[in-house]
Amino acid sequence: MKRSGDPGAKPRSSSVAGPDCCGGLGNIDFRQADLCVMTWLLGYVDPLDPSFVAAVLTIAFNPLYWNVVARWEHKTRKLSRAFRSPYLACYSLSVTILLLNFLRSHCFTQAMVSQPKMDSLDTPAAYGLGLALLGLGVVLVLSSFFALGFAGTFLGDYFGILKEARVTVFPFNILDNPMYWGSTANYLGWAIMHASPTGLLLTVLVALTYMVALLYEEPFTAEIYRQKASGPHKRS
């Protein structure tokens, strides 16, 4: 860490002082701070490790897969025709989504155990925090599932299985997209419990991937229900 001067020197204002990655908020050049954080993370994370690469690929692939398949089904209804039922088609997609999510979690865990732990996170207090986050995530995911139902959880609206009204019961009454944020909390808690910088980095990737997915899912789903609402008016 750089020092601003010797003890006898007159203090300089933060606007004059050179940028310092760790010398106080007034002296931070945030572009250099970002580089500092990345340099620190790369001290723990080997991005070329096969298990890390596998985790990154599964994290990025899963939302892409279910969005592409569900939109294709909404446009063509080929899965519904192949299974002779939109419900069976939706259930078939749900099986593949669950299997891919198990694979993602496995790759996530393997990436963590194959790379170094962070000593400052390897404490009982941090473990307790991670356990609490994991518990919160489980509550959000399970309560979302029960509120939406099986078809609602697994993109049933893309198969024409629409709800009569927007779901507003817990946890949807406290935040939007609780299934995604619950899943993110699960990964964050799991990473902290393992004292894993690799897990923390991968959790950031999980959150960013969900945020990108929502940019495509929410407008498309809103349009599906807008068309449903306008349907009767068109027929009258």
Side-chain angles (χ1 to χ4, degrees):
M1 183 170 64
K2 295 186 290 185
R3 297 183 181 276
S4 59
D6 61 73
K10 294 182 179 180
R12 293 183 291 178
S13 66
S14 59
S15 61
V16 178
D20 187 341
C21 180
C22 307
L25 291 177
N27 291 338
I28 292 178
D29 181 326
F30 286 99
R31 289 171 298 180
Q32 290 195 11
D34 290 341
L35 292 175
C36 180
V37 171
M38 289 305 299
T39 301
W40 171 74
L41 279 176
L42 288 175
Y44 289 95
V45 179
D46 177 9
L48 299 180
D49 179 72
S51 61
F52 182 84
V53 174
V56 169
L57 291 176
T58 55
I59 289 169
F61 176 77
N62 285 15
L64 176 65
Y65 165 76
W66 68 61
N67 272 286
V68 169
V69 173
R71 287 199 181 204
W72 173 72
E73 162 63 15
H74 182 265
K75 181 178 180 180
T76 67
R77 298 300 186 207
K78 288 189 175 181
L79 281 177
S80 293
R81 288 198 292 268
F83 286 93
R84 299 183 179 180
S85 165
Y87 287 90
L88 289 178
C90 180
Y91 297 157
S92 70
L93 177 62
S94 72
V95 170
T96 61
I97 291 174
L98 288 171
L99 290 175
L100 285 171
N101 283 346
F102 282 128
L103 177 62
R104 177 180 62 181
S105 296
H106 172 74
C107 293
F108 187 100
T109 302
Q110 290 302 115
M112 289 195 300
V113 300
S114 68
Q115 303 212 32
K117 290 186 175 183
M118 183 191 302
D119 290 341
S120 58
L121 275 181
D122 197 9
T123 65
Y127 188 90
L129 173 62
L131 192 61
L133 285 169
L134 186 62
L136 173 64
V138 169
V139 169
L140 290 176
V141 169
L142 290 181
S143 59
S144 299
F145 176 81
F146 288 121
L148 291 171
F150 196 93
T153 298
F154 292 101
L155 302 168
D157 35 22
Y158 289 66
F159 292 79
I161 308 169
L162 303 179
K163 291 192 169 294
E164 292 301 320
R166 180 182 177 88
V167 177
T168 56
V169 298
F170 179 85
F172 292 90
N173 59 345
I174 60 171
L175 77 165
D176 292 329
N177 309 298
M179 181 75 73
Y180 281 171
W181 301 125
S183 176
T184 303
N186 285 338
Y187 283 113
L188 178 59
W190 196 234
I192 293 175
M193 290 171 68
H194 282 77
S196 173
T198 299
L200 295 176
L201 185 60
L202 290 173
T203 300
V204 172
L205 180 59
V206 169
L208 290 175
T209 303
Y210 282 151
M211 290 170 68
V212 171
L214 288 170
L215 293 177
Y216 291 91
E217 289 178 16
E218 290 191 324
F220 196 81
T221 303
E223 177 61 18
I224 290 174
Y225 281 92
R226 187 196 67 77
Q227 292 176 5
K228 176 197 174 189
S230 63
H233 300 290
K234 289 182 178 180
R235 291 194 296 268
S236 59

